[in-house]
Amino acid sequence: MSAVVFMALYRPKPGNEKELMEVLKVHIPTLRQEELITDRELLTLQAEDGTIIEIAEWKSTEAIEKAHQNSNVMAVWNKIGALAELTSLSTLAEAQYPFPNFKAL
């Protein structure tokens, strides 16, 4: 099973930017603690509209399934979902260009 790189995009709901950033501080450590992602360095970016982009690597496709059944992961994901809209790359203005640029966080 080969590792799978993922991009997670979170558009903060109005007034929830700081709280979202606090929850994201435990997101990747939780996935690592549960042995679902690799030790590849996390890349965290921000789009012009404030959307936060996390780029990390699942250990396998099975790890993705396990994450959705893990209570610790789901607790973090539920917090993220309450604070942000989960969105896709195609919704970002930057995605309209061949070489999009984002702010590194």
Side-chain angles (χ1 to χ4, degrees), residues 59-72:
K59 285 190 172 184
S60 65
T61 54
E62 290 78 15
I64 300 168
E65 295 172 29
K66 288 180 183 178
H68 287 87
Q69 299 168 7
N70 184 297
S71 60
N72 293 330

Side-chain angles (χ1 to χ4, degrees), residues 10-18 20 79-86:
Y10 317 108
R11 183 172 292 128
K13 294 177 182 175
N16 290 323
E17 295 85 358
K18 288 182 183 178
L20 175 62
K79 288 178 186 175
I80 292 170
L83 299 168
E85 171 192 353
L86 305 180

Side-chain angles (χ1 to χ4, degrees), residues 46-101:
Q46 187 172 36
E48 193 67 35
D49 72 356
T51 298
I52 305 299
I53 305 164
E54 288 182 323
I55 302 174
E57 184 178 52
W58 293 109
K59 285 190 172 184
S60 65
T61 54
E62 290 78 15
I64 300 168
E65 295 172 29
K66 288 180 183 178
H68 287 87
Q69 299 168 7
N70 184 297
S71 60
N72 293 330
V73 173
M74 291 307 299
V76 175
W77 286 355
N78 288 336
K79 288 178 186 175
I80 292 170
L83 299 168
E85 171 192 353
L86 305 180
T87 190
S88 66
L89 191 59
S90 65
T91 67
L92 302 179
E94 291 90 343
Q96 307 312 308
Y97 301 99
F99 301 100
N101 291 286

